[in-house]
Amino acid sequence: MPPAANFSSFSALLRGPPPPTRRLLVAAAAARAHSTSGCSRARGGLPRFHSPSLPSSKGEVVRIQGDEFWHMTRVLRLGVNDRVELFDGAGALVEGSIQKVDKNGSDVELLENARSIAPQGIQWHVFAAFGTLKGGRADWLIEKCTELGACSVTPLLTERCHTIAENRVDRLQRLVLAAVKQCQRVHDMSLKAPIEIRDLPAIVSQSKLAFLASAGAPPVLSVLPKPSNEESGVLIIGPEGDFTDEEVNVLKAAGAVPVGLGPCRLRVETATISLLSALMLWSDAHHQEIQQCR
Amino acid sequence: MPPAANFSSFSALLRGPPPPTRRLLVAAAAARAHSTSGCSRARGGLPRFHSPSLPSSKGEVVRIQGDEFWHMTRVLRLGVNDRVELFDGAGALVEGSIQKVDKNGSDVELLENARSIAPQGIQWHVFAAFGTLKGGRADWLIEKCTELGACSVTPLLTERCHTIAENRVDRLQRLVLAAVKQCQRVHDMSLKAPIEIRDLPAIVSQSKLAFLASAGAPPVLSVLPKPSNEESGVLIIGPEGDFTDEEVNVLKAAGAVPVGLGPCRLRVETATISLLSALMLWSDAHHQEIQQCR
């Protein structure tokens, strides 16, 4: 039976290249053994599989089929008695053992009661006008938002980016699911229905943390407030061609803080990832401070 | 003659989709008028073209051919008397006017003496073990490092990532040039020859700022030093499967500071961009502080 898998190239595995080498597998498992529990890295390097519904008690059995079954048995070549972890995308995480493998699926028995993991850190909600991006850039934006732990991404329709294709939203939804599995997030990322920018100020007013990417605004790391117990926040990124002045003014009036992202000219997806990353790292630094104060 | 061009989708233009709409062009030009001069956004929205050699004095003429000529005349449809900006990737920037267009190229006359723009902010040198990344991920890493203003990127060969294909390096070099043009960086980004990790400690020892991405290390935003006058710094990102403990210890002994990038499991290219972005934003915030103190 092969050792624990390297999930770093999960989406590459979906396209069929050969499984990682044994040495990499062992190394990756060892590396993950040192990881924090915050974003649900696999404990002890167990391979992790998604199941939309999970039983809750030790001894119960869940059926794994479809893509996840294929990866379990054909790519990672796991079999009876191999230990795995299961997650449902809603916070449940549980260790299990493969009891049976047939040609359509496998049965996994829970080795413990399922745990419920609370979301950690500030929950960031991304509103970005990426509907008209071409060439895979929207895909990258979604994938990287998922990796960086965004809670949700909502396509934003603005005066200068007023469309997003319906089939694009469907396709991005499938990409979110693949990315959630690949980076082993215990909580799904929500890809929400597009909203018009006129509906955004109401959302901003309800949020104590709302940041608007704006060339020429004060640097983001200069304007972040002292750490607090805020549980969620909002990021807003405009389209190619930027927001209109009126759009910016309305968002500022609702409470959004314009923040600068450095001297370089950034594309929509780069600005999104740069801002999300900065906020995630800020939240991480302050979460650690709060932990140390206890 | 069309108004100033929207360069946000330059690489998309290279693949032949239709040019941006006039409204977007005007909007983009207006948006850029507010930009800072730090990373050389086109002043007043003039379209900018790369020429490997530039004359220095007002009145001199430079020949534009090849890809840049094609974009100037076929995509942006500029012609005689249109104003443009020229840059050489080594810091020179100058406004010019198109004097002549023939079927092989155009002649641009300098309207002023060429200015020499000094690099702004800390010059970040990225060392990342991305040689074995597949599926366009290395391309994305290079493109985003360019956009985020990295000074150089060096592929790192480590125990767990000990190869990079020769043709990949050539191809990435062309990608750097396209990205430099697209984001209108006045200074080229250097894509350097791959180095073995055993040669990295010597580079780290010579640098006062050296950061090593390391899961479980203290959060990066907690460990950044007070602002100083450092002109350059080093970022180090390991491969899929991570550095070995020995590699990490040697780099730490040479002065590299391990930094954590949050609770989520990040792929090599995401960790690179997240760390580079954080350092770039930190440098931007402190640069502004220093400016305000004057």
Side-chain angles (χ1 to χ4, degrees):
Chain A
M1 281 158 223
N6 174 5
F7 272 74
S8 301
S9 49
F10 207 62
S11 58
L13 291 177
L14 286 170
R15 291 189 286 274
T21 64
R22 189 165 299 255
R23 182 148 150 250
L24 260 183
L25 290 171
V26 172
R32 281 202 299 277
H34 295 286
S35 67
T36 67
S37 61
C39 199
S40 335
R41 291 183 182 136
R43 291 167 294 170
L46 287 178
R48 188 178 286 184
F49 301 93
H50 182 270
S51 171
S53 66
L54 284 182
S56 52
S57 305
K58 179 176 174 176
E60 292 191 81
V61 175
V62 61
R63 181 94 175 139
I64 303 292
Q65 296 177 288
D67 281 351
E68 296 295 271
F69 167 63
W70 184 75
H71 283 286
M72 179 185 279
T73 55
R74 301 285 175 78
V75 177
L76 300 178
R77 302 200 185 106
L78 303 177
V80 172
N81 288 338
D82 278 327
R83 280 163 55 235
V84 298
E85 254 184 354
L86 301 174
F87 68 110
D88 67 355
L93 185 66
V94 66
E95 194 172 317
S97 168
I98 300 173
Q99 292 303 100
K100 188 173 84 125
V101 177
D102 54 60
K103 71 178 163 82
N104 294 323
S106 59
D107 292 338
V108 178
E109 176 183 339
L110 272 56
L111 295 178
E112 56 180 359
N113 293 336
R115 299 190 302 149
S116 183
I117 313 282
Q120 306 242 341
I122 298 179
Q123 300 301 294
W124 294 107
H125 298 275
V126 177
F127 295 83
F130 62 86
T132 51
L133 294 189
K134 295 183 172 61
R137 290 160 57 201
D139 293 15
W140 280 114
L141 184 155
I142 293 292
E143 184 183 301
K144 296 321 176 192
C145 282
T146 310
E147 262 186 80
L148 288 166
C151 181
S152 75
V153 174
T154 306
L156 196 55
L157 304 175
T158 76
E159 182 173 324
R160 294 179 183 150
C161 170
H162 50 81
T163 57
I164 180 167
E166 184 61 45
N167 61 351
R168 163 168 277 193
V169 178
D170 290 344
R171 202 170 57 74
L172 292 177
Q173 194 63 262
R174 292 196 293 277
L175 203 141
V176 169
L177 183 57
V180 163
K181 292 175 187 176
Q182 188 274 333
C183 66
Q184 299 177 11
R185 286 177 58 140
V186 167
H187 296 90
D188 283 340
M189 186 178 85
S190 294
L191 177 62
K192 296 195 186 260
I195 68 166
E196 298 277 349
I197 193 168
R198 63 172 177 260
D199 298 324
L200 188 50
I203 295 169
V204 169
S205 323
Q206 291 167 14
S207 187
K208 293 205 170 59
L209 293 174
F211 302 102
L212 167 68
S214 181
V220 58
L221 293 184
S222 299
V223 303
L224 291 172
K226 288 295 176 201
S228 62
N229 288 331
E230 287 313 317
E231 292 187 349
S232 67
V234 166
L235 288 72
I236 306 166
I237 296 90
E240 289 183 336
D242 219 338
F243 287 122
T244 63
D245 286 344
E246 185 184 343
E247 288 170 338
V248 171
N249 290 337
V250 169
L251 291 169
K252 283 169 67 173
V257 175
V259 291
L261 295 177
C264 297
R265 173 204 190 105
L266 302 180
R267 301 176 86 163
V268 175
E269 72 278 13
T270 317
T272 305
I273 296 315
S274 180
L275 181 55
L276 175 60
S277 187
L279 293 172
M280 183 271 288
L281 293 172
W282 168 73
S283 169
D284 183 49
H286 292 132
H287 176 74
Q288 300 263 350
E289 280 180 28
I290 291 167
Q291 294 284 62
Q292 284 161 8
C293 291
R294 290 182 183 153
Chain B
M1 281 158 225
N6 174 4
F7 271 76
S8 302
S9 48
F10 207 62
S11 58
L13 292 177
L14 285 170
R15 291 188 288 275
T21 64
R22 188 163 298 254
R23 185 150 150 248
L24 260 183
L25 289 171
V26 172
R32 280 203 301 277
H34 295 287
S35 68
T36 67
S37 61
C39 198
S40 335
R41 290 183 184 136
R43 291 168 293 167
L46 287 178
R48 188 178 287 184
F49 301 94
H50 182 272
S51 172
S53 65
L54 282 182
S56 52
S57 305
K58 179 174 174 178
E60 293 192 80
V61 174
V62 60
R63 181 91 174 144
I64 302 294
Q65 295 176 290
D67 281 350
E68 296 294 88
F69 168 63
W70 184 74
H71 283 285
M72 179 185 279
T73 55
R74 301 286 174 79
V75 178
L76 300 178
R77 304 199 185 107
L78 303 176
V80 173
N81 288 338
D82 278 326
R83 279 161 56 234
V84 298
E85 256 185 352
L86 302 175
F87 68 110
D88 68 356
L93 185 64
V94 65
E95 192 171 320
S97 169
I98 300 173
Q99 293 303 99
K100 187 175 85 136
V101 177
D102 54 60
K103 71 179 166 86
N104 294 324
S106 60
D107 291 340
V108 177
E109 176 182 339
L110 273 56
L111 295 177
E112 56 178 359
N113 291 338
R115 300 189 301 149
S116 183
I117 314 283
Q120 305 242 341
I122 299 179
Q123 301 302 294
W124 294 109
H125 299 274
V126 177
F127 295 82
F130 62 86
T132 51
L133 294 189
K134 295 182 173 59
R137 289 160 58 200
D139 293 14
W140 188 88
L141 183 156
I142 293 293
E143 183 183 303
K144 295 321 177 191
C145 283
T146 310
E147 262 186 81
L148 288 165
C151 180
S152 75
V153 175
T154 305
L156 195 55
L157 303 175
T158 75
E159 183 173 323
R160 294 176 184 153
C161 171
H162 49 83
T163 57
I164 179 166
E166 184 61 45
N167 62 349
R168 165 167 276 192
V169 178
D170 290 345
R171 201 169 59 74
L172 291 177
Q173 192 64 261
R174 292 194 295 276
L175 203 140
V176 169
L177 183 57
V180 162
K181 292 176 187 175
Q182 188 274 334
C183 68
Q184 300 177 13
R185 286 176 59 141
V186 167
H187 296 90
D188 283 341
M189 186 178 84
S190 293
L191 176 62
K192 298 197 184 253
I195 67 167
E196 298 277 347
I197 192 169
R198 62 171 179 260
D199 298 325
L200 188 51
I203 294 169
V204 168
S205 323
Q206 291 167 16
S207 188
K208 293 204 172 57
L209 293 172
F211 301 101
L212 168 67
S214 181
V220 58
L221 292 184
S222 299
V223 301
L224 290 173
K226 289 295 176 202
S228 63
N229 288 331
E230 287 312 318
E231 290 186 349
S232 68
V234 165
L235 289 73
I236 306 166
I237 297 91
E240 290 183 337
D242 219 340
F243 287 122
T244 62
D245 285 344
E246 185 184 341
E247 288 169 338
V248 171
N249 290 336
V250 169
L251 291 169
K252 284 169 67 172
V257 175
V259 291
L261 294 177
C264 298
R265 171 202 192 102
L266 302 180
R267 300 175 87 161
V268 174
E269 72 278 13
T270 318
T272 304
I273 295 315
S274 180
L275 181 54
L276 175 60
S277 187
L279 293 172
M280 183 270 288
L281 295 171
W282 169 74
S283 168
D284 183 49
H286 291 133
H287 176 75
Q288 300 264 350
E289 279 179 29
I290 290 168
Q291 295 285 66
Q292 284 159 9
C293 290
R294 290 184 179 151

